[in-house]
Amino acid sequence: MTEDQIREIIAKALAAIAPDADMRSIDAVVDLRTALGLDSFDFLRLMQAVHAATGVSIPEDDYGAVTTIQGLAAYITAKDGHTTLSAAGDP
């Protein structure tokens, strides 16, 4: 799976949880919980949706590393042995 595919999975999961949010306006390094007003249940739903779509489990101990789009994409990239970076190599 490519980094672009991972980011699309994250965007779709977030759109289902926060349908009124403009995903294009969210900075990749901003805490999603703050930017979208996600409560703990919403964040758990995000982790479950990402797991269902990627097969990558994110244990609760690692939640601090995946609070941003960039952090979540990097985490999935590191845990998924079949991920390739985009052509620019940007996270």
Side-chain angles (χ1 to χ4, degrees), residues 45-83:
R45 287 177 47 213
L46 173 61
M47 297 300 102
Q48 291 171 334
V50 168
H51 175 258
T54 65
V56 175
S57 267
I58 305 170
E60 190 173 345
D61 289 346
D62 291 344
Y63 284 1
V66 296
T67 60
T68 66
I69 292 172
Q70 182 175 327
L72 186 52
Y75 186 93
I76 294 166
T77 299
K79 298 295 181 181
D80 176 44
H82 302 95
T83 303

Side-chain angles (χ1 to χ4, degrees), residues 26-35 67-70:
I26 299 172
D27 190 328
V29 296
V30 172
D31 189 308
L32 293 168
R33 297 169 296 184
T34 303
T67 60
T68 66
I69 292 172
Q70 182 175 327

Side-chain angles (χ1 to χ4, degrees), residues 35-55:
L36 298 175
L38 302 180
D39 61 23
S40 58
F41 183 69
D42 291 333
F43 191 75
L44 178 61
R45 287 177 47 213
L46 173 61
M47 297 300 102
Q48 291 171 334
V50 168
H51 175 258
T54 65

